[in-house]
Amino acid sequence: IECFGNLHVKNGLFFSHVKALGSVVVGTQNGHGRLHGGEIWAGKDLSARIVGSEAETQTAIYLGEDPYLREQIKALELSLKQQQNHLQELLKAMIYLRTQGGGDPEKLSTIQEERAALLPSIQLMDHQIQQAHENLKTSRFHCRLRVSQKVYPGVHLRLMQVPRFVHEELGPAEFYLEENDQGWEVRVSLS
């Protein structure tokens, strides 16, 4: 499911892959409000009645960042790594040709031209990654996971990339970020 705003679900999300720019509410109109399995990415908050399951199904919840921007960064970083690897191969080929005592000058010239064309592309991609990380920082919202009935073990939560694993069954709870001396920490408030 992809949603470019807020997502409202009546009964539940089961083994779903969800990306929402806004908030996700599971359990509208007096629905069951169950969420277990899969991955949920939301730019803001998530609210549900029950998160996870008795079987401790792996449920991943990522809140507080634009999921599309995070995806774009991953793609750019992969592409940059490929370009850098290609650059390394070109440098190795140049060294090999130069150390062979009179290697093929035409082939060396072609490799040097390809290297010269690749360098600005790598610099641009590096700049785009830095810009995307800055955009990601500004896209972060004050986010919370609100669960009105029960949270089961097996829930993997990240609020603005700060992790929290649920290892024991909890009743009604609210997960939120709090800053301390070491940085940010995901805290839980039980009702």
Side-chain angles (χ1 to χ4, degrees):
I1 299 171
E2 293 194 30
C3 177
F4 294 101
N6 296 325
L7 177 65
H8 296 264
V9 178
K10 182 177 180 180
N11 286 317
L13 293 168
F14 309 102
F15 301 98
S16 301
H17 294 278
V18 175
K19 290 182 195 167
L21 285 179
S23 296
V24 176
V25 179
V26 182
T28 61
Q29 302 169 353
N30 294 318
H32 297 292
R34 292 191 64 115
L35 166 65
H36 70 263
E39 287 187 351
I40 310 297
W41 292 80
K44 296 184 182 177
D45 295 346
L46 187 144
S47 298
R49 287 192 174 86
I50 300 170
V51 175
S53 69
E54 296 87 356
E56 298 185 15
T57 305
Q58 292 296 310
T59 306
I61 300 170
Y62 306 95
L63 303 176
E65 291 185 336
D66 180 335
Y68 298 98
L69 196 51
R70 175 62 62 190
E71 213 171 70
Q72 178 189 12
I73 289 171
K74 281 184 182 179
L76 283 168
E77 288 174 341
L78 177 62
S79 184
L80 177 62
K81 184 174 179 138
Q82 291 169 342
Q83 297 258 352
Q84 288 171 331
N85 289 341
H86 184 60
L87 180 63
Q88 288 299 317
E89 292 302 317
L90 290 173
L91 290 172
K92 287 177 188 176
M94 286 172 55
I95 291 168
Y96 175 78
L97 286 171
R98 286 181 179 158
T99 58
Q100 291 306 308
D104 185 353
E106 188 174 312
K107 190 170 186 178
L108 182 59
S109 177
T110 302
I111 291 172
Q112 288 173 327
E113 287 173 14
E114 189 175 348
R115 178 184 171 269
L118 192 57
L119 287 173
S121 174
I122 288 174
Q123 289 174 340
L124 176 62
M125 202 170 296
D126 188 49
H127 176 72
Q128 288 173 330
I129 290 169
Q130 290 175 13
Q131 187 62 48
H133 276 288
E134 287 302 314
N135 291 344
L136 191 61
K137 285 179 187 176
T138 61
S139 77
R140 291 178 174 172
F141 293 97
H142 187 69
C143 55
R144 292 175 183 264
L145 168 62
R146 293 178 182 92
V147 183
S148 62
Q149 290 180 8
K150 192 168 288 195
V151 182
Y152 288 101
V155 173
H156 170 89
L157 176 65
R158 282 187 179 269
L159 300 180
M160 294 181 357
Q161 293 298 309
V162 180
R164 173 76 185 244
F165 298 94
V166 178
H167 298 290
E168 74 252 353
E169 189 175 305
L170 302 171
E174 184 171 331
F175 296 82
Y176 59 94
L177 280 172
E178 187 173 279
E179 193 170 15
N180 58 31
D181 295 341
Q182 288 82 31
W184 290 94
E185 176 184 19
V186 177
R187 303 290 304 230
V188 62
S189 171
L190 302 173
S191 303

